[in-house]
Amino acid sequence: MTGALPGPGAAADTPVPHAAPGGEPHEPPRGLETQAAGARWVVLGRPVSSYLAEALGSAWLVLAALTAVSFTMRADGRYLSSWPLTARLAVVGLAVGGSVAAFSLTPPGKESGAHLNPAISLFMTLRGVLGVTDLVAYSAFQLGGSVLGVLAARGIWGERVTAVHDGLIQPGPGWDDPVVVVLGESLSTAVLLWVLAAMTARPRPRSTPWVVGAVVWTLITTTGSRTGAGFNPARNFGPHVVSGDYHLFWAYMSAPLAGALVAAAALTLFGPGTAWTNKVCCERDIHRYHQFRPRPRHRLTSSPR
């Protein structure tokens, strides 16, 4: 082995300086469970600033989703509610997918990894790039951020949010069978995670946040009229709690986690077997730069006059 692997205290995004002859690194960095290595605030060895970033990002995601829903899903036909359902779902998908991609590129998003979804955090733990303690903390802060996002949306939009039942996701007509909801939401989550796995199985390309955002947009646009297109416990947790309506609560909380288990099990059998990182975006762009040595620059000598 010629690759130099980072030690236990190395940051998750530390590139491997030596590459195999084919240009690919021998294996992903190890010691990725030490999330505190790149955190701004560390308390008792835990990356508290990363946890807070997940809460902030989840609140931002829910606020963006409820803002879009409040303008597109009203029963009185006001604002954009008179548009065809597919077009309205596309607007909601653009808001949610865009908010995920945008937060991934912010300093807090780059630090925590911008999971914003307990199913993604569980998936990263099953892939071996996020510790169990961090999984529990990430999930708790994501769910707390969801509640804050609903309260923020109420404070900003008032009646517009309460008129759409605080943006609570529910299945479409004829799709309210709990088994159907669980199967549909699990499959949607697995599709999202398989795409994310493909993007994180090697040093991530710069396009990863936008690819993930595009997948979210596609899933919401195509499945929103059926199962509701939640595939994220944090997306529906806040609306359930704030509205007090717990219809199908267990389904929307458990289905994405089941999807994460299915996605991880499938990858164990069919690959890619390892993940390079648990982050959607990173603090420094390492795509390809670690694979090739930079060409030496030669300064042109000035001719004597």
Side-chain angles (χ1 to χ4, degrees), residues 11-120:
D13 287 305
T14 302
V16 177
H18 300 290
E24 295 293 335
H26 287 287
E27 56 182 307
R30 299 303 179 189
L32 299 182
E33 69 281 357
T34 56
Q35 286 291 102
R40 289 173 174 82
W41 302 336
V42 178
V43 177
L44 299 178
R46 306 318 305 172
V48 175
S49 55
S50 295
Y51 303 156
L52 293 174
E54 285 295 302
L56 175 63
S58 299
W60 161 248
L61 183 153
V62 172
L63 173 60
L66 267 60
T67 298
V69 169
S70 66
F71 281 88
T72 59
M73 301 298 172
R74 295 175 62 96
D76 56 11
R78 296 176 62 189
Y79 307 115
L80 305 181
S81 299
S82 60
W83 287 16
L85 179 58
T86 301
R88 288 182 283 149
L89 289 171
V91 172
V92 176
L94 181 63
V96 176
S99 67
V100 171
F103 184 78
S104 301
L105 299 172
T106 65
K110 291 178 180 179
E111 178 183 322
S112 71
H115 296 182
L116 316 184
N117 184 342
I120 292 181

Side-chain angles (χ1 to χ4, degrees), residues 210-304:
W210 305 109
V211 170
V212 171
V215 173
V216 170
W217 174 82
T218 302
L219 290 173
I220 291 176
T221 304
T222 56
T223 69
S225 62
R226 297 172 177 83
T227 61
F231 49 85
N232 181 354
R235 165 60 183 89
N236 228 24
F237 182 82
H240 275 298
V241 171
V242 175
S243 68
D245 185 345
Y246 290 93
H247 179 61
L248 292 178
F249 173 81
W250 68 270
Y252 283 105
M253 295 300 106
S254 61
L257 302 180
L261 295 174
V262 171
L267 289 174
T268 301
L269 296 176
F270 305 108
T274 58
W276 177 271
T277 180
N278 61 39
K279 298 186 178 185
V280 174
C281 195
C282 56
E283 296 183 58
R284 62 183 68 85
D285 193 342
I286 60 174
H287 178 52
R288 296 187 182 277
Y289 293 126
H290 72 288
Q291 298 178 8
F292 308 101
R293 293 183 178 180
R295 296 180 179 178
R297 295 182 178 180
H298 300 284
R299 185 184 298 273
L300 295 178
T301 57
S302 57
S303 60

